[in-house]
Every structure is written in structure tokens, then in C-alpha cells.
Amino acid sequence: MIRYLIDANCVIFALADAASPVTRRIAESEPGSLAISAITFAEVAMGSHLGKPPPPEALNALLAAVPLVPFDEAAARLYATLPFRRGRFDRLLAAHALSLGATIVTNNIADFADVPGLVVEDWTR
């Protein structure tokens, strides 16, 4: 069962520093409990395509270890009901996490503070 979805900033932290707390928590996670939303993948892949970290091969290596979860109809329906402040990727990820009953792993907790019922954890500390 998926318990955690990793936000783009934590994907970047994990791939930038093998000794980071995020990387350690990912390594310690129970198999199957951690995933990357297709939304997060799109956000990070777009940055990679534009020359920002991580390089595409690092992102591909992460996907070999952490499964990618497709954004589905249930997530799309939840997205339509969420308050919108800013950050479409954040709203899409929040809807995806809610539809799965998962916790978002991010260091930008404030970006998700207005989403009712969403559980968020910061693994960067």
C-alpha cells in the first residue's frame, strides 16, 4: 500500500545528495510504501529537460527504485474540489495523495496547508 508520495523538491534533494535525510528515509521505507506521482515526475522531468537538476539519468535511476503512480480519474475529480491558491503541480499532487490516502513528503509544508484532510511530512530535517 502506498503511504507516501514524494514532492518534486524532495526528489531533487534525494538525487542531489546521497547522504541527505530524504535519501536516508527513502532507503529505510518499507517496499511498496513509497511512490512518485506522475505529477511529480512531470514537474521534475520538465526541469531536467530545461537543464535544471537532476540530470535525466539520475531521475531514471530513481524511477527504477521507486514506482511511478499514474494520475487517475479519482485524483482528477478531487483536484476539481480543492481550494486554489497557487502552484498547479502542488494542487494536482495534493489531489493525487488524497485519492490514494497517502502522505506528501515535501519541505514546502506551507504550500499544502490549505488543503483539507491532507497529511504532509518534511523529511529534510
Side-chain angles (χ1 to χ4, degrees), residues 54-81:
E57 57 276 1
L59 184 56
N60 292 339
L62 181 65
L63 285 181
V66 180
L68 181 77
V69 180
F71 189 84
D72 62 8
E73 180 184 349
R77 289 184 183 278
L78 274 167
Y79 174 74
T81 69

Side-chain angles (χ1 to χ4, degrees), residues 1-2 4-5 14-15 28 35 40-41 52-53 55 64-65 70 85 91-93 98-99 105 112-113:
M1 179 179 120
I2 298 170
Y4 301 102
L5 287 180
L15 294 175
E28 292 171 353
T40 296
F41 177 76
K52 297 178 182 177
R85 208 174 41 165
R91 298 295 104 172
L92 288 164
L93 181 60
L98 287 168
S99 75
V105 176
F112 298 96

Side-chain angles (χ1 to χ4, degrees), residues 4 10 21-22 25-26 29 34 105-106 121-125:
Y4 301 102
C10 283
V22 175
R25 289 285 303 266
I26 289 171
S29 294
L34 182 69
V105 176
T106 184
E121 290 184 12
D122 183 349
W123 288 4
T124 63
R125 301 166 197 249

